[in-house]
Amino acid sequence: MQIAKKYLTEGLIQLTILLSLIGVRVDIDSYLSGYYTPLIEINLGPSSAYTQTPFHNLRDTLDGYSVHPKCPELDYFFASRRLLDEVRTLGSPRFPTQLSAWLVHQVSATDKADCGPSNTNNTDTSSGSDGPGDQAGDDREHLPDSGHEVCQTTPGLGQGPCNSGACEFLQEASVCDVTWSSEEDAKIKEEEETAPLTQLAHSSTLEHESLLEGINVFSDPPRHHLPTIDIDQHWSNLLSLSVTDLDDLDSLVTERLSDLDTDITSAISQDVSLHDAMVTSAGVFGVASDRAESRPGTQQQRALFRLESTGSTHSDASPGMAVGLAALPFASECNLTGNVSQHSTLGGCLDEAVFDQINQLGLEGLDTIDIQLMGCLESMDPQVLEDLDSDSGLSLESSSGGPVSPGSSEMSSSSSSYCEDECGATGYSSEVDSLPAKGIMDYTTTWSPIDLSESVWHDHTYSSPTFFSPPSVTLPHKGIKEEPLSDDEDDGQRFEEREMSRDELRARAMCIPFSVLQIVNMPVEEFLEVLDGHGFSSEQVTLLRDIRRRGKNKLAAQNCRKRKLDAITGLQEEVERLQAQRDRLLREKQLTAKTMGAVGQQIKQLTRDVLARLRDDLGQPLNPERFTLQCGANGRVVVQPVRQPAVSTSTGNKTDKRKKEKKQ
DNA sequence: TAGTTCTGTCATTGC
DNA sequence: TCGCAATGACAGAAC
């Protein structure tokens, strides 16, 4: 029992180490490419109200629309959300590995029979249907064959010792990545057909491998199944793995891990609670088990509840930490583990380790955002939450004209004038900013605590527009704040006229049948054709040219200012980085000086000792003040007279010595 | 009321 | 030569 305890404790320490590594080493591109689909499923799925915000999808993926990459607020928000999402996404594919390790002792041989002899990822349909440990269920709930996948992916996690994902992980982590062969590639193609079934279990392994090796292997397909090994071998492999591959482990995590003690073993002894932990945690990641999450109607509620409970569980952490923690896969598991009273220590350690790592990544900003978001979410009905989730994107889109959010249809209907122009010819961003006031007032009010639409998301999207904008409006930015919309049409018209730009008014006054956006954005050839083909007067032509010039210059100015701000920001970051480097070098310098001083003292002492043992021609000990030891390049040590420093005060002594030497 | 910030515009330069 | 992007400078509005 003692041995088992030791194994389990150390093994869990290693698992925690791996988790901390997960928290640290996040490869964005890999996730975007390798896990893009699950990411989308997770974030767009209704089961996770917190993760539904599709901001990370806005930039590059939606119908040619993209938020301008230079928008600083967007950058910050996207970066934060993306990192958070990535960390959160780690849960579904990675946790199976951890779960497998936890369940090594749980599943008996009978389950093995359920799993089938050859397929390590089959299994345990009961666990699959019931969902313990199944994180893929949520992702695939929306899929027609979700149940099937759940059954088959889950097993890989909860299998017996020989087939557990831990086995695979252990072996693959230490061996497989290096010995990846073409033969396996062939198998990959076959298995890619059944990838949804096996990839989940494998993905965790792959990610761990990548973490260990510092290489992104997310494109790796599922591996073939490895032979089984016994539990002792698992743990020994795991331990050896840690020794060889985890040398660079963060010391902080290691310190935290030292706190793991009896609670861990007791936690390990309760596999059922771990199952439950995985089950309940699945909702957060969008990965569900059928048992716990089979009722779709309760999913959002469960997710929300889980978020709240997570925050309450970690009372020692800041609210933001707690909230952010809920978004993390391991965090939620920790939380759930902590819900089982005996596991609080482990959960706390994991949480702290993970967040220490995250904080080191500079993700503090996540807290502020997520605090606000969760502040809204927690106060709402789950059903409303679901809507708001999309609205969170909408508020962004409302400023950017993006088509993503469900509310966009409403937005476009009410303000189609600009939304048709997905270009984001956002020199006329003021128009876009006014959207919330027109079309989505309800959403705006709902999101008032964050109020992204008002001031945060100034959409200075300067990307070249593909245009089409409706005649009217270049609304000055201030327009939104000044004038609440009136339902009265006359008031609306007057408001519109009042908010029209000067050029728009001029164009209308000159009977120019083009909007400013059209004039500005149309290709030069088309513009020239318009000038020639419509029989405009010289005044009209001049106005058209001026409007086009001013419009383009306006965009250019916005671009220019944005770049300037970016440059300033970059320089500030560079300054901070250099200051930190300077401080570090100064500390190193001081340390080096100290070391040199100590070594010098040692050398002096050693020299004195040696000289004291040497005798001159008269048999007298050598005076350490007059002689010193010099080590030559060949390694020989010779005794040399001390050179007197050429100081003015010692000139007299020098002359005396010279006289003495001459006499001698 | 002065200072700050934001935005639009003009003039200029270089490609 | 023309179109355009980039940018400095200025002015006006809003806070």
Side-chain angles (χ1 to χ4, degrees):
Chain A
M1 184 61 189
Q2 198 68 13
I3 296 175
K5 179 179 178 181
K6 176 189 173 186
Y7 274 139
L8 292 172
T9 302
E10 294 176 347
L12 283 171
I13 289 174
Q14 304 308 321
L15 288 175
T16 307
I17 290 170
L18 295 176
L19 288 178
S20 67
L21 288 174
I22 290 172
V24 176
R25 301 185 183 181
V26 176
D27 185 271
I28 295 174
D29 295 334
S30 300
Y31 285 109
L32 290 179
S33 60
Y35 291 103
Y36 190 75
T37 299
L39 186 69
I40 293 301
E41 291 175 0
I42 289 172
N43 287 281
L44 297 182
S47 60
S48 176
Y50 185 55
T51 58
Q52 280 182 352
T53 307
F55 287 165
H56 64 285
N57 295 332
L58 294 179
R59 175 165 293 168
D60 295 320
T61 60
L62 294 165
D63 296 338
Y65 172 80
S66 65
V67 178
H68 192 274
K70 290 183 178 179
C71 178
E73 296 85 358
L74 286 182
D75 284 342
Y76 177 79
F77 189 82
F78 274 128
S80 301
R81 297 294 304 185
R82 186 181 55 209
L83 290 172
L84 181 60
D85 288 338
E86 286 160 2
V87 173
R88 187 182 304 135
T89 308
L90 297 177
S92 56
R94 290 165 192 264
F95 259 78
T97 296
Q98 184 186 25
L99 179 62
S100 299
W102 284 88
L103 297 178
V104 158
H105 302 280
Q106 183 191 18
V107 181
S108 62
T110 57
D111 295 331
K112 196 175 178 180
D114 293 338
C115 302
S118 61
N119 187 0
T120 60
N121 288 322
N122 290 341
T123 94
D124 199 329
T125 54
S126 63
S127 66
S129 59
D130 291 342
D134 179 19
Q135 298 180 344
D138 247 26
D139 282 349
R140 293 169 170 83
E141 273 188 357
H142 320 297
L143 300 177
D145 55 347
S146 60
H148 180 65
E149 293 182 357
V150 167
C151 289
Q152 297 200 5
T153 41
T154 303
L157 311 177
Q159 286 180 352
C162 295
N163 293 334
S164 68
C167 301
E168 295 179 1
F169 160 63
L170 292 171
Q171 293 185 349
E172 291 175 5
S174 58
V175 179
C176 292
D177 227 295
V178 183
T179 59
W180 191 244
S181 65
S182 60
E183 200 175 317
E184 291 168 338
D185 289 336
K187 290 185 178 180
I188 291 165
K189 293 180 180 178
E190 296 179 2
E191 292 182 359
E192 279 179 349
E193 306 290 335
T194 60
L197 311 179
T198 60
Q199 191 166 13
L200 187 61
H202 287 298
S203 60
S204 60
T205 301
L206 296 177
E207 290 175 0
H208 283 292
E209 291 172 358
S210 69
L211 292 174
L212 294 172
E213 297 178 2
I215 301 173
N216 303 326
V217 291
F218 293 100
S219 59
D220 281 2
R223 307 291 173 84
H224 66 281
H225 309 297
L226 296 171
T228 60
I229 55 178
D230 60 15
I231 297 175
D232 289 343
Q233 191 174 351
H234 296 175
W235 291 115
S236 59
N237 285 343
L238 185 57
L239 294 176
S240 63
L241 180 69
S242 70
V243 172
T244 57
D245 296 332
L246 303 179
D247 290 336
D248 58 341
L249 178 68
D250 189 283
S251 59
L252 176 61
V253 177
T254 307
E255 292 174 2
R256 305 300 178 119
L257 292 173
S258 63
D259 298 334
L260 297 174
D261 198 356
T262 57
D263 286 346
I264 296 176
T265 57
S266 61
I268 293 170
S269 65
Q270 299 191 11
D271 289 338
V272 175
S273 62
L274 291 170
H275 263 303
D276 293 339
M278 291 306 296
V279 169
T280 41
S281 65
V284 176
F285 323 139
V287 182
S289 65
D290 290 343
R291 182 183 65 182
E293 307 289 337
S294 60
R295 290 166 297 180
T298 62
Q299 282 182 349
Q300 300 95 6
Q301 200 165 1
R302 293 176 65 90
L304 176 62
F305 172 76
R306 199 168 303 112
L307 294 173
E308 293 170 347
S309 66
T310 300
S312 62
T313 302
H314 306 277
S315 57
D316 54 337
S318 67
M321 294 282 284
V323 171
L325 198 59
L328 297 175
F330 19 79
S332 68
E333 173 153 353
C334 294
N335 168 40
L336 293 160
T337 305
N339 289 338
V340 180
S341 58
Q342 299 175 1
H343 305 162
S344 59
T345 303
L346 172 61
C349 292
L350 293 177
D351 295 347
E352 293 178 17
V354 167
F355 271 95
D356 284 335
Q357 300 287 1
I358 292 176
N359 288 336
Q360 290 175 4
L361 290 175
L363 301 182
E364 294 86 349
L366 292 176
D367 293 338
T368 59
I369 294 176
D370 292 336
I371 287 172
Q372 292 178 317
L373 285 172
M374 292 310 301
C376 298
L377 293 174
E378 290 177 356
S379 62
M380 297 173 188
D381 182 82
Q383 184 58 39
V384 178
L385 264 177
E386 184 178 353
D387 296 336
L388 288 180
D389 234 358
S390 56
D391 296 340
S392 60
L394 182 143
S395 58
L396 173 63
E397 293 158 7
S398 65
S399 65
S400 60
V404 182
S405 123
S408 61
S409 59
E410 183 179 358
M411 178 177 67
S412 62
S413 63
S414 61
S415 58
S416 60
S417 54
Y418 355 91
C419 287
E420 289 179 4
D421 184 1
E422 293 181 357
C423 58
T426 39
Y428 304 92
S429 60
S430 54
E431 310 168 23
V432 184
D433 289 336
S434 67
L435 290 177
K438 287 187 175 181
I440 51 175
M441 188 65 75
D442 50 339
Y443 294 104
T444 304
T445 54
T446 309
W447 277 99
S448 56
I450 307 175
D451 200 9
L452 298 175
S453 61
E454 182 176 350
S455 59
V456 177
W457 310 115
H458 291 279
D459 183 8
H460 299 159
T461 304
Y462 313 122
S463 59
S464 71
T466 51
F467 172 138
F468 258 97
S469 101
S472 48
V473 259
T474 39
L475 298 178
H477 185 69
K478 49 204 172 190
I480 341 171
K481 302 167 187 172
E482 289 177 345
E483 195 84 12
L485 286 180
S486 170
D487 293 338
D488 186 9
E489 283 188 4
D490 295 336
D491 290 343
Q493 288 179 353
R494 277 189 271 114
F495 169 76
E496 184 181 357
E497 290 176 358
R498 229 176 302 154
E499 301 304 325
M500 288 173 64
S501 68
R502 286 182 294 171
D503 283 338
E504 199 73 39
L505 292 173
R506 288 171 189 154
R508 178 174 290 188
M510 298 281 285
C511 300
I512 293 175
F514 296 98
S515 70
V516 169
L517 282 178
Q518 285 175 318
I519 295 170
V520 171
N521 293 322
M522 67 175 63
V524 62
E525 295 83 5
E526 185 178 347
F527 180 68
L528 294 176
E529 289 177 1
V530 166
L531 292 182
D532 294 338
H534 285 70
F536 289 128
S537 66
S538 60
E539 290 82 4
Q540 285 176 317
V541 169
T542 302
L543 179 60
L544 283 168
R545 288 188 178 278
D546 286 345
I547 289 172
R548 183 176 174 85
R549 176 177 47 81
R550 279 193 288 264
K552 286 190 174 297
N553 187 248
K554 185 194 294 185
L555 299 181
Q558 290 168 344
N559 256 333
C560 183
R561 285 164 181 148
K562 175 65 178 59
R563 276 192 297 271
K564 190 181 291 185
L565 286 177
D566 288 343
I568 292 171
T569 302
L571 289 174
Q572 287 173 341
E573 292 173 354
E574 179 74 5
V575 167
E576 292 174 359
R577 187 185 63 80
L578 291 174
Q579 284 177 342
Q581 184 181 12
R582 173 177 169 273
D583 294 341
R584 179 176 55 81
L585 291 175
L586 285 175
R587 286 194 299 270
E588 289 179 2
K589 179 185 174 185
Q590 291 176 352
L591 183 62
T592 303
K594 259 184 195 174
T595 305
M596 292 292 291
V599 171
Q601 290 298 324
Q602 289 179 353
I603 291 176
K604 280 184 181 178
Q605 182 61 41
L606 185 62
T607 302
R608 277 194 292 268
D609 292 344
V610 171
L611 292 177
R613 297 168 190 271
L614 296 179
R615 296 291 184 270
D616 58 9
D617 297 339
L618 303 176
Q620 299 295 325
L622 296 179
N623 186 0
E625 303 297 330
R626 298 182 55 188
F627 295 93
T628 184
L629 297 177
Q630 293 290 331
C631 183
N634 55 1
R636 293 183 58 188
V637 177
V638 296
V639 178
Q640 288 186 344
V642 174
R643 296 176 182 174
Q644 294 297 328
V647 184
S648 59
T649 55
S650 61
T651 49
N653 296 332
K654 280 187 177 180
T655 52
D656 292 341
K657 287 181 180 178
R658 288 175 185 171
K659 289 178 182 177
K660 289 179 182 178
E661 290 174 357
K662 286 180 180 178
K663 288 178 182 177
Q664 291 175 355

